[in-house]
């Protein structure tokens, strides 16, 4: 009884009397519902919801969140229904409790399908009311505080999911204090010996550092007093998990990390922040390139502060963060501080959190499956960020390692799809170039352009990757439908008929047999190679099948635009101008081979597996050709070959040299060019080189 009274007294500091009374009523309701239930620690079960509510009260959360925290297990663990809660405490509280209950059994084990699907549920719950995840994070924090009562295997699983998902979500929502405690508890539980060793080293170094820390603090205090500036100076402790991660990821020794002295200066307003910055820069020498202004350009989670690095006495490195009291509260509690400071309006932190959740839903919509979704989300669960400018001066935030393709998709999905080139700080640059903070990026688009599958090898943001994949899947579907239509028409033409002559009953019967809903589904299956056009044609016209087997029929035309379902074989590298045939490959669609290719010799005459093709008069794209050059071992021969190929406007994919003897070598070159005429031009140029004795196009 005493616990709830103490809790109620705390709430009186920031909630109205009626709100405190409602919270207490929720406590008594939960206490009665959980009567007789015990935790594995041996305490009465009601102690857990009360401690979860205490964690939220530390962040000055609103009354509805506190009520939901006290009631968060009653639907799951007692016989009370959602409707009962709604009638007692209102629809909002019932919805919060239901949202938290649905997340009760989320398990982030390995990369299982369940892990990903459960995180999708979390995204939907956050979209309805972001307070759901705040209650869930507080619930997880108290469970981590009492994790010692569980068995070792369960401890390890819960600690791993805390470090992999819950701590990054807290970070993403700007909740520094909660995130740090989750990381510390998770680290100590998952790696107890490593935590113990680092803790001992920290305690040992703290004794050696104490005197110097105090000297730096006094020097900074004197500096502010001389400039008549008021501010609190706090030393920043390094956390065990943060030290461990830096040692592991940045390959630094413990001594290198602990050599840096960190302080935080808290002042009354933004103007004073910049005046304090000027004062400390005048007092100690700033380190070039280490100043960051997160006040003018806040982080994506709403974090604001000035960061600078200085060289103090005896060249000791000092890191300083300068911020206001409100920024300090926002930095520690993130989105939870929204309910304390600006409950009547949508502040920046709350807006950014909603934008992030909105982005999660967009990723979910475009993801092919839940595992792809979780992969994209993990990329976005707070990577290091870079800040970029549009030509009009707008600021975009992207993950570290982002490229112009990520930037284009951040501007708009349609801009990403139509992107063909870019300018970085007014210079033309490749789409794969990694961007750095402060650059101005201009995206160049072209009508009719579409994403390149190669972009997936360097795009890093979840939005870019999910949209590229979604487009390519959609494109493959439309291309496979078009190809399937042409293949079936060709097979029917060999039977001297057309689709118009097929009866509706016969078509519906076939669709039922194949379990396809529409004719488009059947075309797509034929186009991607999962069904043979000749077999489908026979089933559509059973009466004709026996007497008139399919012949060669008309040739299909390849234009180069069907890259989603028509690919060139790597064995013989056909190019426009070569006589070609198409091999139907299950799951891949049609693979183009040169006539006479050894790999299709056994079924070249089988019309169910091979289709006769011809190139369109206006083929688009570039094609690969392998050449073998026999040449003398002259100095600079590689450079001469490369220059000749480049002058002929062909691209070099790769080049390798094989020594035959002391005088001669064989040069293997893979080129990208347009057609046989282009190839002839390249070979003509190479034959003019005296060092080249023979040129052969590799057939197989």
């Amino acid at each position: 009884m005493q616990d709830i009274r103490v809790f109620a007294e705390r709430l009186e500091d920031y909630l109205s009397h009626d709100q405190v009374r409602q919270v207490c009523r929720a406590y008594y309701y939960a206490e009665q519902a959980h009567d007789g239930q015990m935790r594995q620690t041996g305490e009465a079960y009601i102690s857990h919801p009360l401690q979860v509510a205490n964690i939220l009260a530390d962040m000055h959360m609103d009354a509805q969140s506190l009520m939901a925290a006290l009631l968060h297990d009653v639907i799951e663990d007692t016989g009370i229904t959602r409707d009962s809660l709604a009638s007692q405490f209102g629809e909002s509280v019932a919805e919060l409790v239901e949202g938290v209950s649905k997340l009760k059994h989320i398990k982030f084990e390995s990369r299982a399908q369940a892990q990903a699907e459960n995180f999708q549920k979390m995204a939907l719950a956050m979209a309805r009311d972001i307070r759901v995840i705040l209650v869930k994070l507080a619930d997880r924090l108290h469970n981590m505080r009492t994790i010692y009562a569980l068995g070792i295997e369960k401890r390890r699983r819960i600690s791993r999911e805390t470090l992999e998902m819950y701590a990054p979500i807290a970070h993403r929502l700007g909740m520094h204090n909660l995130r740090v405690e989750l990381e510390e508890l998770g680290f100590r539980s998952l790696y107890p010996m490593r935590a113990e060793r680092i803790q001992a080293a920290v305690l040992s170094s703290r004794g050696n550092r104490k005197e110097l820390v105090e000297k730096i603090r006094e020097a900074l205090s004197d500096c502010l007093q001389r400039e008549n500036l008021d501010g609190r100076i706090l030393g920043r402790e390094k956390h065990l998990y943060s030290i461990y991660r830096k040692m592991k990821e940045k390959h630094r020794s413990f001594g290198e990390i602990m050599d840096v002295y960190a302080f935080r200066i808290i002042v009354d307003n933004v103007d004073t922040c910049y005046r304090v910055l000027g004062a400390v820069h005048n007092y100690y020498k700033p380190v070039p390139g280490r100043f960051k202004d997160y006040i003018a350009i806040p982080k994506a989670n709403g974090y604001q502060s000035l960061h600078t690095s200085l060289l103090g006495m005896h060249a000791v490195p000092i890191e300083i963060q300068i911020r206001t009291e409100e920024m300090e509260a926002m930095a520690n509690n993130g989105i939870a501080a929204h309910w304390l400071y600006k409950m009547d309006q949508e502040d920046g932190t709350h807006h950014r959190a909603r934008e992030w959740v909105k982005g999660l839903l967009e990723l979910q919509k475009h993801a092919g499956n839940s595992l792809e979704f979780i992969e994209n989300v993990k990329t976005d669960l707070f990577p290091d960020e870079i800040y970029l400018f549009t030509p009009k001066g707008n600021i975009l935030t992207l993950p570290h390692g982002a490229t112009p393709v990520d930037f284009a998709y951040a501007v708009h999905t349609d801009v990403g799809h139509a992107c063909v080139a870019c300018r970085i700080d007014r210079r033309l640059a490749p789409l794969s170039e990694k961007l750095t903070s402060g650059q101005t990026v201009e995206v160049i688009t072209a009508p009719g352009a579409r994403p390149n599958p190669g972009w997936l090898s360097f795009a890093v943001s979840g939005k870019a990757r999910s949209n590229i994949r979604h487009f390519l899947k959609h494109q493959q579907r439309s291309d496979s439908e078009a190809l399937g239509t042409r293949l079936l028409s060709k097979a029917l033409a060999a039977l001297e008929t057309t689709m118009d002559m097929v009866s509706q009953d016969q078509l519906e019967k076939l669709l039922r047999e194949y379990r396809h809903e529409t004719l488009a589904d059947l075309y797509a299956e034929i186009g991607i190679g999962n069904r043979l056009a000749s077999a489908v044609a026979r089933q559509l016209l059973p009466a004709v099948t026996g007497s008139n087997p399919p012949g060669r029929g008309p040739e299909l035309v390849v234009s180069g635009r069907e890259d989603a379902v028509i690919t060139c074989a790597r064995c013989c590298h056909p190019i426009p101008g070569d006589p070609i045939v198409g091999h139907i490959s299950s799951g891949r669609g049609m693979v183009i081979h040169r006539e006479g290719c050894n790999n299709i010799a056994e079924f070249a005459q089988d019309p169910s597996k091979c289709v006769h093709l011809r190139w369109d008069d206006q083929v688009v794209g570039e094609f690969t050709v392998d050449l073998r050059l026999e040449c003398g071992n002259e100095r600079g021969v590689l450079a001469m070959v490369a220059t000749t190929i480049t002058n002929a406007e062909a691209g070099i994919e790769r080049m390798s040299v094989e020594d035959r003897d002391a005088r001669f070598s064989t040069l293997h070159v893979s080129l990208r060019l347009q057609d046989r005429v282009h190839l002839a031009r390249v070979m003509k140029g190479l034959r003019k080189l005296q060092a080249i004795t023979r040129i052969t196009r590799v057939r197989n």
Side-chain angles (χ1 to χ4, degrees), residues 607-663:
S608 69
K609 293 188 177 179
C610 275
V611 180
H612 287 274
L613 308 173
R614 69 175 176 83
W615 296 103
D616 192 290
D617 294 335
Q618 301 292 328
V619 181
V620 296
E622 290 188 330
F623 301 83
T624 301
V625 169
D626 287 346
L627 295 181
R628 184 168 59 244
L629 312 179
E630 295 178 15
C631 56
N633 288 336
E634 293 185 16
R635 195 171 188 175
V637 67
L638 278 177
M640 287 189 288
V641 168
T643 303
T644 303
I645 293 170
T646 305
N647 289 341
E649 299 179 344
I652 301 174
E653 278 194 349
R654 60 185 177 275
M655 187 184 289
S656 63
V657 181
E658 180 187 330
D659 290 331
R660 282 169 50 201
D661 51 43
R663 294 177 57 206

Side-chain angles (χ1 to χ4, degrees), residues 54 59 80 90 119 152 158 177-178 195 227 235 256 279 301 316 336 353 405 562 574 597 637 663 682 693 698:
N54 262 297
M59 296 183 276
I80 292 168
F119 189 77
I152 188 163
I158 292 173
N177 288 355
L178 194 143
E227 299 291 334
E256 286 178 291
N301 62 357
V316 170
V405 168
E562 315 89 342
C597 176
V637 67
R663 294 177 57 206
V682 172
T693 58
V698 179

Side-chain angles (χ1 to χ4, degrees), residues 322-588:
I322 307 165
R323 61 180 75 140
T324 65
E325 292 285 357
E326 185 173 335
M327 289 173 193
E328 172 75 351
M330 290 286 182
N332 290 332
N333 294 326
I335 191 172
H338 158 81
W339 280 270
L340 172 62
Y341 277 96
K342 295 178 180 171
M343 292 175 67
D344 58 337
Q345 57 184 322
E346 188 92 338
D347 70 304
T349 311
H350 199 256
H351 175 70
R352 288 184 184 90
R354 290 208 172 279
E355 284 296 307
W356 178 60
V357 174
K358 185 179 170 186
L360 286 184
L361 295 180
E362 190 177 332
L363 290 182
Q364 187 176 18
K365 186 171 71 175
H366 287 154
N369 55 54
S370 48
L371 290 177
E372 184 183 311
F373 169 73
I374 204 85
E375 176 201 328
N376 293 332
V377 169
K378 281 189 173 180
T379 306
D380 282 354
L381 271 182
F382 230 58
D384 292 331
E385 294 172 323
I386 57 173
Y387 300 88
L388 304 158
F389 294 91
T390 68
K392 291 183 178 178
N394 296 326
I395 299 167
L396 291 179
T397 307
L398 286 172
H400 180 72
T403 63
V405 168
D406 298 294
F407 183 90
Y409 278 100
V411 173
H412 195 277
T413 302
D414 292 341
V415 174
H417 286 342
C419 172
V420 291
C422 72
R423 287 191 180 92
I424 301 174
D425 292 334
R426 298 186 180 180
R427 65 174 173 84
L428 280 170
L431 291 175
S432 58
E433 183 170 320
K434 290 189 177 180
L435 301 169
T436 56
S437 278
Q439 290 179 324
T440 299
V441 183
E442 179 187 352
V443 178
I444 301 168
T445 60
R450 60 187 189 179
N452 185 328
W455 290 357
L456 289 170
S457 64
F458 54 77
V460 298
S461 68
K463 182 175 182 181
R465 295 182 67 81
S466 67
N467 275 295
I468 293 166
R469 282 181 173 143
H470 179 70
F471 183 93
L472 292 174
K473 284 172 191 167
H474 178 76
Q475 188 63 40
Q476 185 182 38
R477 165 75 185 201
S478 60
D479 282 357
S480 59
E481 280 183 31
L483 178 60
T485 305
R486 291 160 64 195
L487 288 172
L488 187 55
S489 296
K490 180 180 184 297
L492 288 169
L495 295 170
E496 299 178 356
T497 188
T498 64
M499 279 299 292
D500 295 336
M501 298 168 66
V502 177
S503 71
Q504 188 64 28
D505 289 343
Q506 189 65 30
L507 185 58
E508 288 176 2
K509 180 183 175 185
L510 185 69
L511 291 176
R512 281 196 304 274
E513 188 178 326
Y514 284 163
R515 296 182 181 177
H516 293 320
E517 291 185 7
T518 65
L519 185 58
D521 294 336
L522 176 61
Y523 286 144
E525 286 287 286
I526 295 170
I528 208 165
N530 291 340
R531 298 202 182 279
L532 295 176
S534 55
V536 173
R538 287 192 191 97
Q539 285 185 271
L540 283 172
L541 302 171
V544 191
T545 303
S547 59
N548 192 6
R552 172 166 173 162
E555 294 173 325
L556 289 184
V557 179
V558 177
S559 66
R561 296 182 181 86
E562 315 89 342
D563 54 343
V565 288
I566 295 183
T567 55
C568 290
R570 294 182 181 177
C571 51
C572 54
H573 291 305
I575 62 174
D578 290 333
I580 51 174
V581 293
H583 171 229
I584 307 297
S585 174
S586 180
R588 290 180 61 194

